[in-house]
Every structure is written in C-alpha cells, then in structure tokens.
Amino acid sequence: MTSDVQLSPTERSTVKRGKNRAVQDRQVLYDILDAGLVCHLAVEVDGAPFLVPTAYGRDGDRIFLHGSTGARSIRSMIEGKPVCVAVTLVDGVVYSRSVFHHSMNYRSAIVHGTAKIADDPEHALKVIVEHVTPGSWDYARSPSKKELAATVALEIDLTEASVKVRAGGPGEEPEDLEANLVWGGHLPLVRTWGAPVPHETDRAVPPHVSGRGR
C-alpha cells in the first residue's frame, strides 16, 4: 500500500548508508509499526546510553509507550531527553555466492523525537494493549486506580522518522556469478501463531485469541 503522504527527513533521520533502501512513503512507516510488537527505545540515562525493548502502539501520527513511574528511562524521557525508537521486521536471510554479500531482507523504522506524558493515559494504554493483544481491552479487567497510578503513558510524534527496506536475492560480484560455484538465493522467514495454551482455567478460548492466527 502506498500513499501521497511522504516522510520529510531531517539531518539525523536522513538515510546516508544504503540510500537505495530508503523509503519515503509514510504509509510504509505505519505498516512497519503496525506489524511489529516490540520496539527498542534508546534514551540517555545518567550520562550513558540506555536501551530497552518495550511494547508500544500506534495511533495516527504518534506512538504510545508505557513504563513504571520509578523507571530511570521514564524519568529521563519526562525530563525532555531526546529519544530514538527502532522497530525491525526480519523477512528472511540472503545467501550469496560470497560471504561478503550475505545479507537479510528486512523492514525497519527509526523515529527520533522527544516523549511527553500522554494527554489521555487510559487511551494510550488501550492503544498499546489493543496493538499487542487485539480484543483484550474490553474482555479483560480494566486497570485499577492503583495500577494506573504506578504507570506512566508517553507519546512520541512520528514526524521525524526514516524507513529502510530490503527485499529479494543477493547482490553478486560479476566474477562470482560467472563462476557459479555455489548456490545463491534467499530464505524467507514466516511468522505464525501457535495454538493458545490455557492458564489454570477450563474456559473456552475467546475468539479474539483463537482467531488471531487465521
């Protein structure tokens, strides 16, 4: 799917290496974020880089994150430290006739910006829950006041972002193609959901869980 809405790279979000893999279509950014489950969030904490994998959710042109009120990374973000969010989807590995040209097929998105406390924390948490476990917000118990008080919901604008995509077979040196001594190609990686595993219950698996892998 493509759109007429393009990314507008800044100096730090401009792809400099592998420019041929850069994608400017903002819809591709949305598609990558919507397909991922975990992002890696980088922020400076006490003068040192801090990287944490975390769940997230997208709502329009922003993403929501959450964390404990006592987390150092959360405090740094609230203080206005710059953040970087990365989501990578691996679609396969690439086998070349030369080990130098072995590679991966992937879709990746990197977002730069600053985080702020979400205007509507409960909505932010709902977006995250529905992204990771669709159908759960209205099915499971809602957060208690104590749970909400212990959680900080943050939002980051998607204005400053970059996207890179690689697909297809290997890039080869002409002499390796001519010699054709070994196999070259790519091996797709396909993700699938397994069967639901109940936890101490004899209830039937709800449709929003059982139907997810279809």
Side-chain angles (χ1 to χ4, degrees):
M1 180 177 180
T2 59
S3 70
D4 295 328
V5 183
Q6 304 294 298
L7 297 174
S8 299
T10 62
E11 176 61 27
R12 64 181 175 179
S13 66
T14 297
V15 176
K16 297 180 174 62
R17 193 166 172 79
K19 292 182 180 179
N20 60 313
R21 298 177 185 175
V23 177
Q24 300 302 330
D25 188 348
R26 182 165 288 275
Q27 183 61 49
V28 178
L29 168 68
Y30 297 156
D31 292 343
I32 292 171
L33 296 177
D34 293 348
L37 293 174
V38 174
C39 73
H40 286 83
L41 171 67
V43 64
E44 178 192 327
V45 176
D46 298 332
F50 189 87
L51 183 69
V52 59
T54 184
Y56 67 93
R58 182 182 72 87
D59 180 20
D61 220 20
R62 58 185 175 170
I63 56 172
F64 293 119
L65 309 165
H66 78 295
S68 168
T69 53
R72 293 181 299 162
S73 58
I74 295 294
R75 291 200 301 269
S76 290
M77 287 188 284
I78 292 175
E79 291 170 0
K81 296 285 183 65
V83 300
C84 182
V85 177
V87 175
T88 301
L89 308 175
V90 178
D91 295 321
V93 294
V94 180
Y95 295 82
S96 169
R97 292 164 179 84
S98 161
V99 292
F100 181 80
H101 289 299
H102 277 53
S103 187
M104 287 189 183
N105 286 335
Y106 64 89
R107 291 163 286 157
S108 69
I110 296 179
V111 178
H112 298 273
T114 55
K116 71 169 188 174
I117 297 177
D119 294 330
D120 185 343
E122 192 164 342
H123 172 70
L125 294 176
K126 179 179 179 179
V127 170
I128 297 170
V129 169
E130 286 299 295
H131 174 66
V132 179
T133 55
S136 293
W137 188 262
D138 293 328
Y139 178 81
R141 176 180 64 81
S142 298
S144 66
K145 291 184 178 180
K146 181 179 179 180
E147 291 167 337
L148 288 174
T151 305
V152 177
L154 301 171
E155 64 179 75
I156 301 173
D157 190 90
L158 294 176
T159 298
E160 189 177 4
S162 62
V163 172
K164 288 179 71 176
V165 175
R166 190 201 190 283
E172 303 281 18
E173 299 296 336
E175 57 269 27
D176 292 326
L177 281 173
E178 185 177 354
N180 197 28
L181 296 177
V182 296
W183 183 86
H186 63 102
L187 185 65
L189 176 63
V190 180
R191 296 186 303 170
T192 60
W193 295 104
V197 181
H199 175 250
E200 299 178 358
T201 179
D202 58 359
R203 286 183 174 273
V205 179
H208 69 277
V209 178
S210 61
R212 189 168 184 184
R214 296 173 187 168

